[in-house]
Amino acid sequence: MTFAQATRPMPAADHAHARARPGASIAAVLALLLAHAPALAADVVVNVAELVTGTAEHLPIHPGTKVACGSNCRYAAVSASAMDDGYAATPGPLALGAWPVAFGTSLPGYVPVEESLGITQPPAGTTLVGLNNGVLQRSAVDYDAKPVLGGTREASVQSWKSGSGASVVSYAIRITTPIDAPKRTYLSFKAPAHERSWVHASSLGGPSGNETVYTRPERLQTRSAVDVYVDGLPVWSSEANMLVPQRYQPSNWGALFLQWGQPLPSGDVTLFLGTLPVKSVRTAVVVMRTELRVDAPGCRTRTEYGATLKSCSAQRESLTLPSSTLSSGAFLAFRPSIEVYSR
């Protein structure tokens, strides 16, 4: 599997240190600290202006007042999900939400979509042992527009034994620069948090009969990634992979963990798109995807305290869908944490 990416390094924040010199007045030290306070408190911004406009620009020292995009932006959201019982390069067919794309003036929420497959049940008296959230062969984009007890807002794939799945969320914003003047334009979003869990088939055995014996996946590929495109050109990326190649045979079993670009905690990402010309139109797209392929046909059975348990490999990959709270009187809902503004 190959992935095309264009990543720009996150500029390192400058650190200013103020030290009191012997005999320096308290007022002088405070003045020095205050002079550096904006630099210490400023948000880190990734400058992608040259990729977007073709012209290199320095980040503005004093960006000015933040002005929301308002009616100059139109929005569209699409979700897709697919699940397969086997180890497949493409799980398809995709279940789509909000397709074909329709741009609107209001900020839409993520579109829920799900592909869930049945799991063969064991004989009577045998219980399947899975992950904490159950035994599932499922890919889904779960998004609760209104807060409910235990509500979920995430894109996820979970396999049981062998399985392949993908869940993708695309959020597009069409930006039109007004006719009055060029605008220094920014795209800001809260990056999703990456979550991963797994359990291998296990039973008691070995020389003593009381040792835990595992049957691990023969092959495994996971990917969770966020990519930002402007007019189809990738300008920011982050990706996390867990891999067990078929011919990978280390002395002790272990997966390969790879990380590309900026790590994926749930943090703010701000991209400076550059000074967009009058009447220019740009389309920015934030794509959040999580994918999983597992080849683990083997299971194990054990008996504990008179109960028969069947243990199989289970794997889960997910990305949260960060949302902010929208409140209007008695109405309360969530909306995606993505915005465009100028300064």
Side-chain angles (χ1 to χ4, degrees):
M1 186 181 299
T2 60
F3 311 107
Q5 294 182 306
T7 60
R8 298 298 296 268
M10 180 71 71
D14 292 331
H15 298 284
H17 300 279
R19 295 185 179 179
R21 299 187 304 274
S25 67
I26 296 178
V29 174
L30 289 176
L32 184 59
L33 290 173
L34 290 173
H36 288 286
L40 292 172
D43 294 334
V44 176
V45 179
V46 182
N47 189 344
V48 298
E50 188 173 3
L51 292 173
V52 175
T53 65
T55 302
E57 295 183 51
H58 292 294
L59 285 174
I61 298 176
H62 300 289
T65 303
K66 181 177 176 180
V67 179
C69 189
S71 61
N72 295 316
C73 281
R74 299 176 67 85
Y75 309 87
V78 179
S79 298
S81 188
M83 195 70 204
D84 191 279
D85 266 326
Y87 186 87
T90 54
L94 288 171
L96 295 173
W99 184 264
V101 175
F103 282 87
T105 55
S106 60
L107 193 71
Y110 303 110
V111 184
V113 64
E114 176 186 359
E115 281 286 295
S116 184
L117 305 179
I119 294 173
T120 302
Q121 296 300 312
T126 300
T127 301
L128 297 178
V129 179
L131 293 173
N132 289 337
N133 56 331
V135 176
L136 296 174
Q137 191 78 288
R138 176 181 184 262
S139 64
V141 175
D142 294 306
Y143 180 72
D144 296 319
K146 296 181 180 180
V148 295
L149 184 63
T152 303
R153 287 176 293 281
E154 67 177 8
S156 65
V157 180
Q158 181 168 330
S159 69
W160 173 253
K161 299 173 62 176
S162 297
S164 303
S167 292
V168 183
V169 173
S170 295
Y171 210 92
I173 305 174
R174 184 170 293 159
I175 309 165
T176 302
T177 306
I179 62 174
D180 56 348
K183 300 292 183 182
R184 291 192 305 237
T185 305
Y186 298 77
L187 168 65
S188 182
F189 63 96
K190 185 174 288 295
H194 173 221
E195 299 173 353
R196 176 186 289 145
S197 59
W198 67 85
V199 62
H200 298 313
S202 65
S203 63
L204 296 179
S208 68
N210 292 312
E211 299 166 354
T212 302
V213 180
Y214 293 99
T215 298
R216 296 179 171 88
E218 298 177 8
R219 290 179 292 175
L220 168 66
Q221 291 182 332
T222 77
R223 175 173 73 153
S224 288
V226 178
D227 298 287
V228 181
Y229 303 85
V230 178
D231 291 344
L233 178 68
V235 297
W236 187 92
S237 296
S238 180
E239 181 172 317
N241 303 91
M242 179 179 179
L243 306 172
V244 179
Q246 188 174 18
R247 291 180 292 275
Y248 176 59
Q249 295 179 343
S251 56
N252 295 308
W253 189 94
L256 300 175
F257 295 90
L258 304 177
Q259 175 71 53
W260 306 93
Q262 182 176 335
L264 281 178
S266 184
D268 292 328
V269 175
T270 300
L271 306 179
F272 174 53
L273 305 183
T275 302
L276 303 186
V278 169
K279 294 186 179 180
S280 65
V281 179
R282 298 286 193 277
T283 300
V285 182
V286 180
V287 181
M288 293 169 278
R289 70 191 84 198
T290 184
E291 303 169 5
L292 172 65
R293 293 195 286 171
V294 184
D295 185 11
C299 296
R300 289 183 172 272
T301 302
R302 67 181 185 271
T303 301
E304 295 180 1
Y305 305 105
T308 301
L309 306 176
K310 184 177 181 180
S311 170
C312 303
S313 289
Q315 184 91 18
R316 192 171 194 272
E317 192 85 359
S318 70
L319 287 174
T320 61
L321 297 177
S323 302
S324 58
T325 303
L326 175 65
S327 179
S328 178
F331 180 76
L332 183 65
F334 289 108
R335 65 178 181 184
S337 296
I338 300 175
E339 65 173 333
V340 172
Y341 56 86
S342 60
R343 288 188 182 274

